């Protein structure tokens, strides 16, 4: 630590930022590295090497308490040279007590370091922030090199996020029946049909359906509609659910044609909780919990196995499951027996991401096998297809998905086809044309604010590519107990961040795949996943993805048109301080007075003219519905 004499004779002390407690850095991927780049190399920017500083990954935030005793901040910043040709572009910002003190502008890999030299006199709280340069955060390895704070007294201190209390907003469902979930359902002619009516309310409950197409029947005790039929066209069915407290009716549009997944799939996937350690027992337990927790009554349907179920191939080339999955047919029967559906995972390359058997050269055989086993969903993950097409052009990017799509179309079973190739080649522009029901738009999500918010908010502008049967997918949910291994822990997202996560994914019409250990659902997590008015935004039959209407710094307003002529509006505060936000009718294309309903609280807020104002917490959201009076 160096000491310098200042004109006022106060004893100045200089602190390297790497000496602070870097566990408080919130970053998009990996963990912060003291005196090293993100990948653990000597920090290097534009050919210049640095001994001190820290390596991080956009989007990254470090909040520092200066106690009003700091004088100056200096650093050399840039993208680390370890990124090389892979790209990477970031923007650095220094924010003092909510005001931007310095900005680097967009910096790309190979650019020389930029020097930040900022006066801090009187500043109490400093935020070191790295943005994604406006183009997503792939390969955004960022360095705060030689970052130093000069203090006139005391020491700088890294700050954790401000404490937040866990507040359950979702009201408890009423005792009377309420029919939830999709109001429109697509099926291909002749495919086995399974649609389970989702209804909350006290049991026992009985179900009925008028005008079911010939070939389908409804079990009055379970509410499951099964069978098959060939007649293409739209069939409007009236569903009824009845219990001791009343009767609910809801119409269901069954569309028999070429398109399935007319609303975004709702379900669970094993990856974000169990990662490589997933077993048959975990999957059964997830299905059990989906029913026991009541999630099934709110429209949740799929139980999806991710990577690491495969056990090689037999002598005829048929894919086998590993010892962890002793009998796939028995497993799918078990899940279907609960009125749920089940998904599986593979890769177009020779191996999956976790180095299990992929589908390369076995696509038809695998699709047949998935159908025989009884799967309803396939996640198809690019990974080792890199070996086949190391620098794929547009056609090469599409090819493996076209091949598997043809294979899936050749079996008489409706299998939702989920592309997982992290957004390569702007997949949203062509995913639907080649049979994708959804496609990942970015790399893997993790349970940090940086990762979740970047994955979600980057869908601005992609709304024109989503619609019934084909959805943008910013990746699975990171609420509840996650861990990517047999050892799970509570999500690191704070409560307001979790409200943002679910609200945004609903506005975006994203597939909602719960990524947590379902046997450990706590009251708060369950409340996030069972708010029928919020889920209805995701499942709205119009299938219109929300648009970003306003962006003012860290404040964003998103709007989604709903089938009944109303709009769902999200007021999002991505900033560090609670802020008042205003949704103006003029920005939303509205006039006159509008009824405002708070969707999380399921509460009418009154009638408003011209605008609606609300105070939005740090990293939080207010989700409302505006309807004409
Ligand atoms: C990744 C994918 C993850 C998970 C993992 C399995 O490529 O994005 O969601 O499926 O592979 O190995």
């Amino acid at each position: 630590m160096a000491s310098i004499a200042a004109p006022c004779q106060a004893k100045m002390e200089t602190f390297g930022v790497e000496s602070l407690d870097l566990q408080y850095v919130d970053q998009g991927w990996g963990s912060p590295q003291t005196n090293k780049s993100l990948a653990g190399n000597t920090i290097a920017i534009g050919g210049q090497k640095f001994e001190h500083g820290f390596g991080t990954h956009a989007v990254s935030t470090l909040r520092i308490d200066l106690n009003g005793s700091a004088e100056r901040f200096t650093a050399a910043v840039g993208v680390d040279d370890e990124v090389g040709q892979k790209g990477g572009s970031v923007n650095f910002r220094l924010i003092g007590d909510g005001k931007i003190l310095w900005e680097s502008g967009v910096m790309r890999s190979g650019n020389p370091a930029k020097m930040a030299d900022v006066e801090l006199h009187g500043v109490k709280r400093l935020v070191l922030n790295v943005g994604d340069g406006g183009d997503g955060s792939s390969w955004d390895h960022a360095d705060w090199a030689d970052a130093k704070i000069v203090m006139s007294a005391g020491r700088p201190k890294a700050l954790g996020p401000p404490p937040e209390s866990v507040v359950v907003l979702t009201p408890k469902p009423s005792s009377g029946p309420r029919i939830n979930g999709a109001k429109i359902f697509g099926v291909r002619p002749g495919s086995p049909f399974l649609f389970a009516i989702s209804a909350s309310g006290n049991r026992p409950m009985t179900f009925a359906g008028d005008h079911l197409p010939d070939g389908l029947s409804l079990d009055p005790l379970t509410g499951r509609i099964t069978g098959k039929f060939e007649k293409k066209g739209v069939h409007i069915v009236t569903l009824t659910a009845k219990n001791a407290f009343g009767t609910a009716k809801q119409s269901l549009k069954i569309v028999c044609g070429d398109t399935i997944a007319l609303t975004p799939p709702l379900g669970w996937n094993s990856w974000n909780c169990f990662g490589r350690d997933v077993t048959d027992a975990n999957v059964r337990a997830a299905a059990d919990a989906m029913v026991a927790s009541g999630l099934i009554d709110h429209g949740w349907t799929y139980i999806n196995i991710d990577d690491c179920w495969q056990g090689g191939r037999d002598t005829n080339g048929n894919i086998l499951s590993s010892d962890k999955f002793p009998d796939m047919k028995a497993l799918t029967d078990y899940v279907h027996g609960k009125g749920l559906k089940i998904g599986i995972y593979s890769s177009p390359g020779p191996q999956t991401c976790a180095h299990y058997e992929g589908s390369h050269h076995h696509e038809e055989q695998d699709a047949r096998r998935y159908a025989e086993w009884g799967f309803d969903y396939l996640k198809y993950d690019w990974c080792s297809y890199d070996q086949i097409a190391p620098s794929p052009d547009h056609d090469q990017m599409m090819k493996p998905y076209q091949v598997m799509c043809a294979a899936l179309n050749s079996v008489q079973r409706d299998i939702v086809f989920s592309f997982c190739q992290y957004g390569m080649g702007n997949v949203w522009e062509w995913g639907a044309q080649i049979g994708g029901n959804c496609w990942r738009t970015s790399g893997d999500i993790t349970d940090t604010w940086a990762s979740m918010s970047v994955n979600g908010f980057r869908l601005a502008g992609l709304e024109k590519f989503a619609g019934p049967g084909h959805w943008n997918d910013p990746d699975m949910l990171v609420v509840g107990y996650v861990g990517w291994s047999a050892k799970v822990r509570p999500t690191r997202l704070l409560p307001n961040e979790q409200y943002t996560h679910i609200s945004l994914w609903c506005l975006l019409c994203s597939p909602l795949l719960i990524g947590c250990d379902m046997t450990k659902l706590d009251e708060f997590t369950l409340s996030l996943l069972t708010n029928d008015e919020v889920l209805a935004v995701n499942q709205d039959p119009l299938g219109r993805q929300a648009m970003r209407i306003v962006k003012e710094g860290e404040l964003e307003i998103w709007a989604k048109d709903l089938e009944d002529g109303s709009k769902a509006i999200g007021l999002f505060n991505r900033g560090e301080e609670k802020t008042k936000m205003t949704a103006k009718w003029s920005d939303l294309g509205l006039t006159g007075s509008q009824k405002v309903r708070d969707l999380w609280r399921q509460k009418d807020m009154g009638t408003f003219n011209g605008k609606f104002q609300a105070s939005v917490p740090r990293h939080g959201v207010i989700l409302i519905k505006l309807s004409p009076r």
Side-chain angles (χ1 to χ4, degrees), residues 249-559:
K249 286 198 183 293
Q250 176 66 58
S251 82
L252 172 70
K253 204 187 258 187
I254 298 175
V255 186
C256 183
D258 299 326
T259 313
I260 58 170
L262 295 180
T263 62
L266 300 185
W268 173 86
N269 173 291
S270 59
W271 186 251
N272 291 354
C273 35
F274 304 122
R276 292 164 176 261
D277 296 324
V278 62
T279 63
D280 172 285
N282 297 142
V283 176
R284 285 173 193 249
D288 292 346
M290 193 71 106
V291 177
S293 64
L295 280 167
I296 192 173
D297 301 334
H298 300 273
W300 298 90
T301 304
Y302 289 91
I303 298 289
N304 292 351
I305 310 168
D306 206 276
D307 205 349
C308 308
W309 60 268
Q310 307 85 338
R313 293 187 182 274
D314 68 14
T315 47
N316 297 320
N318 291 314
I319 186 79
L320 300 169
S321 56
S322 72
D323 295 349
K324 293 193 299 164
F325 289 87
D327 186 343
M328 279 299 200
K329 181 72 177 81
L331 178 58
T332 64
D333 285 347
Y334 183 82
V335 172
H336 289 140
K338 294 180 172 280
L340 298 167
K341 298 189 176 181
I342 179 160
I344 197 159
Y345 165 102
S346 190
S347 165
Q351 289 194 325
T352 65
C353 295
H355 306 295
Y356 285 77
E357 189 75 24
S359 291
H360 193 51
H361 289 325
H362 291 278
E363 293 82 357
E364 275 195 26
Q365 213 172 6
D366 286 356
R368 263 201 314 276
R369 178 46 68 101
Y370 303 151
E372 283 158 15
W373 276 338
F375 281 100
D376 308 294
Y377 193 111
L378 173 66
K379 172 173 171 182
Y380 207 45
D381 194 342
W382 177 270
C383 262
S384 71
Y385 200 80
D386 263 353
Q387 295 166 23
I388 318 288
S391 348
D393 61 22
H394 185 64
D395 288 350
Q396 286 169 317
M397 260 180 229
M398 295 204 292
K399 188 169 163 216
Y401 290 91
Q402 288 167 311
V403 170
M404 185 47 100
C405 185
L408 292 174
N409 284 340
S410 72
V411 300
Q412 186 69 81
R413 189 166 182 90
D414 290 352
I415 300 180
V416 172
F417 194 18
S418 155
F419 294 7
C420 177
Q421 47 84 292
Y422 343 111
M424 274 187 321
N426 292 355
V427 60
W428 44 87
E429 289 170 3
W430 45 268
Q433 288 157 32
I434 63 163
N437 293 121
C438 52
W439 43 82
R440 282 267 299 276
T441 45
S442 46
D444 286 14
I445 197 168
T446 190
D447 57 328
T448 62
W449 166 250
S451 167
M452 182 277 289
S453 60
V454 168
N455 267 26
F457 287 110
R458 74 167 304 200
L459 262 58
L462 302 195
E463 57 276 357
K464 51 183 169 296
F465 304 110
H470 50 96
W471 311 103
N472 289 310
D473 174 7
D475 207 359
M476 302 174 290
L477 303 179
V478 280
V479 298
Y481 277 73
V482 294
W484 292 267
S485 70
K487 220 168 139 212
V488 294
R489 52 165 173 78
T491 177
R492 289 174 290 173
L493 293 184
L494 296 174
N496 280 318
E497 297 172 341
Q498 298 184 52
Y499 279 116
T500 291
H501 187 15
I502 304 297
S503 306
L504 185 57
W505 263 236
C506 286
L507 285 165
L508 294 172
C509 299
S510 166
L512 298 180
L513 292 173
I514 303 169
C516 73
D517 181 345
M518 299 274 284
T519 65
K520 295 190 165 59
L521 281 166
D522 54 280
E523 191 202 351
F524 178 70
T525 309
L526 206 50
S527 79
L528 290 170
L529 302 173
T530 52
N531 190 312
D532 297 311
E533 297 196 20
V534 174
L535 291 173
V537 172
N538 177 272
Q539 292 292 300
D540 187 71
L542 195 59
R544 208 49 84 69
Q545 180 181 313
M547 286 176 73
R548 184 165 68 195
I549 304 290
V550 174
K551 176 162 170 55
E552 281 164 9
E554 312 281 36
L555 307 178
E556 301 192 11
I557 299 181
W558 291 61

